[in-house]
């Protein structure tokens, strides 16, 4: 799993060892500090690891604490870059937040693999309207009211930290994070663990915390609830793309999975960056770093969006 709270990547300058890239430009030295969304954290770690191979004089300090923390940190000047998994709001823009879309993923509803009605839930899926009455209105209190056979209780879990996943899910229902009901749990890993341990739970996660990147299959103990997009009470073949992360990311890229809860992910700086190291790292992410997006379980943005981010950086 990738959800270690803090990663300090210290880079060692190897005497006499240079890469072709390093030979083509002056050696960069310094430090970049980054904090924010759990959703983007695993991808940012991979980008930092690859970037350090080309720029061993740069130290990158990365931590995950939610999009809200990242935004607070960057606007306060505590970090250079915030990882943000939602749109930047007008108040944040007014304070100087500048966003660069770097990749895309999605939020998915989740249940425990030990749910007593797992087979039926996976076959029938669940509609947006029923999820609205579970997470927002609270009208649905048990699994039978959600459309399944047994009237067993339904335990709802949500996030306690200000985060893009909750904000994005709420946006799907025309609401805000504070409108979501349920037992509040900190962070993506905490929410996934709570759902895993409760056989009648329902929650939500960023896809990076539901799938195993080695097997490409759902992580042991947690399953994605398929979305019944056409409201016909079953998951049709063209709605069944949750068996592995590649099928899901392909569906997101093709627009088959709704947006929201699919969404773009951002690097955010306070004002247009002026630090040469921050500029170089961000530019590298938007160009060379895109080759690592697919294997990491994310969705590559369109060339148009990437060019727009590059233009904002220049």
């Amino acid at each position: 799993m990738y959800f270690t709270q803090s990663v300090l990547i210290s880079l060692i300058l190897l005497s006499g060892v240079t890469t072709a890239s390093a030979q083509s430009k002056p050696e960069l030295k310094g430090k970049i500090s980054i904090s924010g969304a759990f959703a983007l954290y695993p991808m940012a770690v991979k980008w930092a690891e690859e970037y350090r191979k080309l720029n061993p004089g740069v130290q990158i300090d990365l931590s995950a604490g939610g999009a809200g923390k990242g935004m607070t940190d960057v606007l306060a000047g505590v970090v250079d870059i915030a990882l943000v998994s939602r749109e930047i709001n007008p108040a944040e823009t007014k304070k100087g937040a500048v966003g660069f879309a770097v990749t895309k993923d999605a939020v998915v509803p989740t249940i425990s693999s030990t749910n007593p009605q797992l087979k039926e839930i996976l076959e029938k899926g669940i509609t947006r309207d029923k999820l609205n009455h579970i997470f927002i209105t609270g009208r649905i209190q048990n699994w039978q009211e959600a459309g399944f056979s047994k009237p067993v209780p339904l335990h709802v879990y949500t996030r306690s930290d200000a985060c893009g996943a909750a904000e994005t899910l709420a946006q799907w229902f025309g609401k805000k994070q504070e409108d979501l009901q349920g037992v509040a749990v900190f962070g993506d890993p905490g929410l996934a663990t709570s759902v895993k341990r409760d056989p009648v739970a329902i929650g939500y996660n960023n896809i990076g915390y539901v799938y195993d990147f080695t097997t490409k299959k759902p992580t042991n103990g947690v399953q994605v609830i398929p979305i019944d997009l056409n409201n016909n009470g079953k998951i049709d073949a063209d709605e069944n793309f949750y068996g592995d992360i590649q099928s899901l990311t392909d569906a997101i890229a093709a627009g088959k999975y709704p947006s929201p809860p699919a969404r773009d992910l951002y690097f955010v700086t306070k004002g247009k960056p002026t630090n040469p190291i921050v500029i170089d790292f961000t530019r590298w992410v938007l160009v060379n770093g895109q080759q690592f997006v697919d294997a990491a379980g994310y969705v590559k943005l369109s060339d148009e969006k990437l060019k727009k981010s590059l233009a904002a950086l220049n």
Side-chain angles (χ1 to χ4, degrees):
M1 296 296 291
Y2 293 92
F3 48 75
T4 304
Q5 283 292 309
S6 179
V7 169
L8 179 63
I9 302 171
S10 298
L11 306 164
I12 302 171
L13 182 61
L14 301 177
S15 176
V17 179
T18 58
T19 66
S21 177
Q23 292 172 347
S24 64
K25 64 182 183 182
E27 180 184 357
L28 293 172
K29 292 183 178 180
K31 177 181 176 181
I32 303 171
S33 54
I34 303 172
S35 77
F38 286 95
L40 188 49
Y41 178 75
M43 186 72 257
V45 169
K46 177 62 177 177
W47 280 332
E49 290 173 346
E50 295 298 329
Y51 182 79
R52 74 175 185 174
K53 295 176 183 176
L54 305 174
N55 299 278
V58 176
Q59 175 179 307
I60 302 179
D61 190 355
L62 260 166
S63 64
K69 184 179 187 308
M71 184 64 80
T72 298
D73 287 348
V74 78
L75 292 179
V78 176
V79 299
D80 300 301
I81 298 172
L83 309 177
V84 177
S85 52
R86 56 168 172 74
E87 297 298 318
I88 301 168
N89 64 49
E92 292 164 344
T93 300
K94 191 174 181 180
K95 292 177 182 177
V98 177
F100 305 90
V102 291
T103 185
K104 185 173 186 175
D105 80 339
V107 180
V108 290
T110 56
I111 54 173
S112 170
S113 298
T114 60
N115 187 297
Q117 301 180 93
L118 179 64
K119 184 174 183 295
E120 182 181 3
I121 293 170
L122 297 182
E123 289 176 351
K124 290 184 174 179
I126 195 163
T127 65
R128 174 187 172 279
D129 184 60
K130 286 176 179 173
L131 288 170
N132 180 53
H133 289 310
I134 291 171
F135 285 107
I136 301 294
T137 71
R139 293 178 189 169
I140 292 179
Q141 297 286 321
N142 66 62
W143 283 98
Q144 191 174 59
E145 293 172 346
F148 305 102
S149 300
K150 299 177 182 177
V152 294
L154 193 158
H155 297 162
V156 183
Y157 290 85
T158 187
R159 290 277 292 274
S160 63
D161 51 310
C163 66
E167 192 67 33
T168 301
L169 182 68
Q171 185 185 1
W172 194 27
F173 308 123
K175 299 293 184 179
K176 294 185 176 298
Q177 176 174 354
E178 52 267 33
D179 297 316
L180 292 174
Q181 299 196 21
V183 176
V185 181
F186 180 81
D188 252 304
L191 187 48
T193 299
S194 295
V195 169
K196 175 181 177 179
R197 291 174 176 172
D198 187 341
V200 295
I202 186 169
Y204 57 89
N205 275 102
N206 298 303
I207 59 176
Y209 295 86
V210 180
Y211 289 89
D212 184 304
F213 288 107
T214 301
T215 66
K216 307 298 183 185
K217 301 293 184 181
T219 303
N220 183 30
V222 178
Q223 289 280 343
V224 178
I225 308 176
I227 306 297
D228 179 10
L229 296 168
N230 59 11
N231 302 312
N232 69 348
K234 64 179 182 179
I235 295 301
D236 298 318
D238 61 351
E239 297 172 318
N240 189 12
F241 39 70
Y242 302 91
D244 60 80
I245 194 168
Q246 188 63 57
S247 297
L248 178 54
T249 54
D250 287 347
I252 295 169
K256 294 181 179 179
Y257 190 80
S259 179
R263 49 39 204 300
D264 293 347
L265 304 174
Y266 295 87
F267 276 11
V268 174
T269 58
K270 186 177 183 180
K272 185 176 176 179
T274 56
N275 183 332
I277 301 172
V278 174
I279 295 171
D280 189 77
F281 177 60
T282 305
R283 181 180 290 114
W284 179 89
V285 163
L286 291 168
V287 181
N288 306 74
Q290 294 299 306
Q291 67 184 292
F292 304 105
V293 166
D294 186 63
Y298 291 78
V299 179
K300 186 178 178 181
L301 295 173
S302 66
D303 289 344
E304 181 181 357
K305 283 191 175 182
L306 291 171
K307 287 178 181 177
K308 184 177 180 181
S309 289
L310 279 169
L313 185 65
N314 294 327

